[in-house]
Amino acid sequence: MLAGVLMKFATLVARNLRYYWRTNLAVILGVATAVAVLSGALVVGDSVRASLRDLVLGRLGKTEAVVTSAQFFREALSRDVPGSAPIVALQGMVTHERDRRRAANVAVYGVDDRFWKFHGVTPPGDGAHISAALARELRAQPGDAVLVRVEKPSAIPLESLHGRKDDPGRTVRFNIGAVLDAAQLGEFSLRPTQGDVFAIFVPLRRLQRDLQQQNRVNTLLLASDAFPKEKVTLDDLGIRVRPLPERNALSIESASAVISDALTEKVKQLGNAHPVFTYLANAIRIGNREVPYSVVTAIDQPWPDDAIYLNDWTAKDLAAKPGEQVTLEYYYWEPSGSLATRTASFTLKGVLPMTGIAVDRDLTPDYPGITEADTIGDWDPPFPVDLKRVRPRDEDYWKKYRTSPKAFLSLAAGQKLWGSRFGHATSIRIEGTSDAAAFSSRLRAALDPAQLGMAVYSPRAQALGAAQGSTDFGEYFTYFSFFLVVSALLLTGLFFQLGIEQRLREIGTLRAVGFPAARVRRLFVAEGFLLSLAGAALGTIGAVAYASFLLYGLRTWWRGAVGTGLLTLHVSPGSLFGGAIAGMIVAWLCVLATLRSLRHSTPRDLLNGARGASPEPQRESRLLLIVAAVAALAGIAMVAAAFAKAIPDTAGFFGAGTLLLIAAICFVWLRLRARKAPVESVVRLGIRNAGYRPGRSVL
């Protein structure tokens, strides 16, 4: 008996679906449209993320980790790290020698066969090789000559006094060997980028020679995340431990000519350390008497900060007496990048004999262009020098004492005058030992290369983060498609409501012959479920087509939004299923809302083809008024929050727009439900007709 009832119920549902196929087809298409738009937007987001992820990861080749440093380190470090490839990675500009076409922000890689073997790519041969994008930009072909200009590496910071700003670059001429496509690693990039890659691969040895960095590199590619930091030497970090056996001391120095604060703290923990800060003064002056271009050293002594000590040679030259005011004039690079002349005044506290620290030329680090010069006239510093001020006696001092300081300050005073973000010392003295090897071992064990500028990072993690992007395109297109989805669902509800109204007498007949209201409701719920299911299936197919269309737009019309045209369709079952389920649920809720509107209808009303009136019209009107007021206030609040940057602009725009639209709909609905005025014109007749079915008119 139960099987027969179920069969009759299923048969009735099937016949209803066939008989009202036109209305049902409209419902199916409405659900399909909503599902296609919603799922398609999600698929677009998945496709953009997956395409960008594949793009940036593909450009890394087999690189899992990268070791990079602010200064060049030993190429031989690669031998101590299995599965690594040493390269020189710089940014530069490439100019076509014949046409003078140029490209900026070009990645310049100095590579050899180890680079190509590391990535499992056949070496392309001799010469310089360029990416396809760079070839298009320069209109270059194999055999053409190009000029590659890169910044000349220097361990000494450009922002410091001895940084060479007058000679920042090197230009090297190469002949193009091949134009490399993506499969040949032509799009290799350590920086996560979505646009075209401008890259040139030049012979490593040639680039090292032209940059005067023989057997040194600044980047190490790793095939795994494992990097044995213990293999890094002090030389790799630009640190030198120099023995001073005649003083039973060591001098800790840096290739940058400035000791970083982190290194200073580590050295202090290991022994009897005394920081030293040496600087070049343009003049040491007392009254109208001066000594030009003199080395001044700040040492770790308990002297007052306003005190200065001169060596005997300088004191005699200036006819200086204790208690006199001594003025130092010196250059200083301002943070703005300008070279300024500053002065500082001190009180002469004493004169040091020409022994001990007064003739200690090791207090001055190596300054290229100065310390190796035979005479002051041979100086080639990166700042202006007026050699006319140099006297014969100054040359005699240089020949005899070289870089021995002529004046001494307290360490605190020197650091206050010349300290910078790069450090507050030029060397560190270790007293009581001259065993450089033993102290070097202790120092290296205490140092973390990462604290001294040698970083190890995962380019794949950066690439995956960049692939996510600042814009979630799935969310973005869902926002823009929101009103289309809502419109499709409202259309679905209207078509279903129209189908219900066409079948009011059928419903009344079923109720009159004894069908319970719950049984009739289940009949239409079953029909609505099947229609939603069919619409979701059709919409899933449409979602793929809709996503393909949007991706085509992102590859062409809207290419600037993602920065690349290399987007492919990635269909995620999860997105399709999620969009279909969401569409079905919302469509089904629309069906249930339509059926709920019949709860006040009696069989007699239904047989007459009419709906029953609501027993509490005032209550429903108040509810509409409350919803309209709350939505309007919430929309205004979201606008204010967006202006105050409390919420993202996108969320504020779409959220406020949706809430204000809901408020407007509820308000119009409420007005249409109001008491009907006498018909005095055609306009009032139209308004009254719209009020006959206010819900349908508003939607």
Side-chain angles (χ1 to χ4, degrees), residues 7-21 24 503 506 523 527 530:
M7 181 60 69
K8 291 178 182 179
F9 182 81
T11 302
L12 183 58
V13 171
R15 289 181 177 179
N16 283 339
L17 292 176
R18 285 196 301 270
Y19 186 78
Y20 298 102
W21 68 270
N24 293 337
R503 299 167 64 181
E506 176 189 341
L523 174 67
E527 291 182 22
L530 293 175

Side-chain angles (χ1 to χ4, degrees), residues 65-381:
V66 175
V67 179
T68 185
S69 177
Q71 57 190 7
F72 280 59
F73 52 85
R74 294 176 304 119
E75 181 184 334
L77 179 61
S78 176
R79 292 198 295 266
D80 298 328
V81 184
S84 65
I87 67 171
V88 172
L90 301 169
Q91 287 293 115
M93 182 175 66
V94 179
T95 304
H96 195 289
E97 187 178 49
R98 183 184 67 250
D99 299 339
R100 309 311 296 177
R101 294 179 62 87
R102 63 181 58 186
N105 297 320
V106 178
V108 180
Y109 300 110
V111 302
D112 56 16
D113 286 348
R114 288 173 291 182
F115 172 80
W116 306 107
K117 292 178 181 178
F118 174 84
H119 294 287
V121 177
T122 302
D126 297 332
H129 313 295
I130 63 176
S131 64
L134 182 57
R136 290 193 300 270
E137 182 72 13
L138 299 177
R139 298 177 185 174
Q141 298 177 352
D144 291 352
V146 293
L147 303 177
V148 180
R149 183 167 182 81
V150 295
E151 181 179 326
K152 182 182 177 182
S154 174
I156 300 177
L158 291 179
E159 295 87 346
S160 66
L161 178 63
H162 294 275
R164 289 202 167 270
K165 306 167 189 64
D166 57 339
D167 186 23
R170 284 286 184 271
T171 300
V172 188
R173 183 181 183 275
F174 294 98
N175 289 323
I176 298 176
V179 177
L180 306 180
D181 56 25
Q184 296 172 298
L185 220 61
E187 295 186 354
F188 176 77
S189 177
L190 294 176
R191 297 187 304 170
T193 177
Q194 302 164 4
D196 293 333
V197 174
F198 291 169
I200 182 168
F201 303 84
V202 303
L204 177 61
R205 292 285 176 260
R206 169 77 184 280
L207 188 61
Q208 289 174 327
R209 184 190 68 197
D210 290 327
L211 297 179
Q212 299 177 356
Q213 295 289 338
Q214 284 80 2
N215 300 318
R216 300 185 79 83
V217 296
N218 65 351
T219 303
L220 203 62
L221 306 182
L222 307 181
S224 68
D225 294 333
F227 175 63
K229 294 183 179 181
E230 66 277 4
K231 299 296 183 180
V232 177
T233 65
L234 293 180
D235 182 30
D236 295 326
L237 300 175
I239 300 172
R240 180 173 65 158
V241 179
R242 186 156 57 98
L244 305 174
E246 67 279 3
R247 293 181 173 81
N248 192 28
L250 299 171
S251 179
I252 313 300
E253 300 169 356
S254 171
S256 65
V258 180
I259 301 292
S260 67
D261 294 339
L263 178 58
T264 300
E265 292 302 317
K266 288 295 183 181
V267 174
K268 285 182 177 180
Q269 296 172 8
L270 296 178
N272 187 17
H274 301 280
V276 176
F277 205 145
T278 298
Y279 209 79
L280 181 67
N282 296 338
I284 302 175
R285 186 177 297 116
I286 297 179
N288 58 0
R289 305 182 301 278
E290 70 171 33
V291 175
Y293 303 115
S294 304
V295 175
V296 180
T297 297
I299 58 178
D300 190 11
Q301 292 290 336
W303 295 340
D305 290 347
D306 63 343
I308 189 171
Y309 289 80
L310 302 178
N311 67 14
D312 186 65
W313 185 95
T314 307
K316 289 180 179 178
D317 191 46
L318 292 173
K321 299 178 181 178
E324 290 187 303
Q325 289 294 305
V326 179
T327 300
L328 297 181
E329 179 187 288
Y330 58 93
Y331 285 134
Y332 188 84
W333 277 102
E334 301 286 358
S336 60
S338 60
L339 183 64
T341 300
R342 294 183 177 182
T343 59
S345 296
F346 299 88
T347 301
L348 180 61
K349 293 295 184 180
V351 176
L352 303 178
M354 299 300 290
T355 58
I357 63 171
V359 292
D360 189 351
R361 63 185 64 182
D362 293 320
L363 291 172
T364 303
D366 288 335
Y367 290 126
I370 296 180
T371 52
E372 75 276 10
D374 293 331
T375 65
I376 298 179
D378 294 333
W379 281 11
D380 182 25

Side-chain angles (χ1 to χ4, degrees), residues 450-479:
Q451 294 180 337
L452 299 176
M454 178 173 282
V456 183
Y457 70 93
S458 172
R460 292 185 178 272
Q462 292 185 356
L464 291 175
Q468 296 296 323
S470 59
T471 300
D472 186 338
F473 282 90
E475 180 182 356
Y476 199 65
F477 280 103
T478 299
Y479 283 150

Side-chain angles (χ1 to χ4, degrees), residues 480-686:
F480 273 113
S481 305
F482 174 77
F483 293 107
L484 183 58
V485 172
V486 172
S487 299
L489 293 174
L490 292 177
L491 186 63
T492 300
L494 288 176
F495 277 124
F496 195 82
Q497 185 177 18
L498 181 60
I500 293 292
E501 291 179 356
Q502 289 176 344
R503 299 167 64 181
L504 289 178
R505 289 185 174 83
E506 176 189 341
I507 298 173
T509 301
L510 292 174
R511 293 282 303 278
V513 299
F515 271 73
R519 177 66 61 84
V520 175
R521 194 159 45 248
R522 283 198 298 270
L523 174 67
F524 283 90
V525 168
E527 291 182 22
F529 174 77
L530 293 175
L531 294 175
S532 300
L533 184 62
L538 182 62
T540 300
I541 299 174
V544 177
Y546 179 69
S548 300
F549 172 75
L550 291 180
L551 286 174
Y552 175 79
L554 288 172
R555 287 194 299 267
T556 54
W557 312 314
W558 312 314
R559 180 170 179 171
V562 291
T564 182
L566 303 176
L567 298 179
T568 56
L569 182 65
H570 290 73
V571 179
S572 170
S575 294
L576 290 178
F577 183 75
I581 292 298
M584 282 183 60
I585 291 174
V586 177
W588 206 21
L589 291 176
C590 291
V591 170
L592 292 176
T594 302
L595 292 174
R596 187 173 180 274
S597 66
L598 300 178
R599 67 188 186 281
H600 301 302
S601 301
T602 65
R604 180 178 178 180
D605 294 330
L606 296 171
L607 287 171
N608 289 329
R611 292 169 176 263
S614 173
E616 299 178 328
Q618 296 299 324
R619 181 175 179 272
E620 294 182 359
S621 296
R622 284 196 301 270
L623 180 61
L624 283 173
L625 180 60
I626 292 173
V627 172
V630 171
L633 292 175
I636 295 172
M638 290 199 73
V639 171
F643 273 106
K645 302 302 181 183
I647 60 175
D649 292 341
T650 303
F653 174 79
F654 286 104
T658 301
L659 290 170
L660 293 176
L661 179 60
I662 291 173
I665 289 175
C666 291
F667 179 76
V668 174
W669 198 331
L670 181 63
R671 294 296 299 169
L672 291 177
R673 286 173 57 92
R675 180 173 297 180
K676 309 301 185 293
V679 177
E680 299 175 353
S681 65
V682 176
V683 174
R684 286 188 178 275
L685 179 61

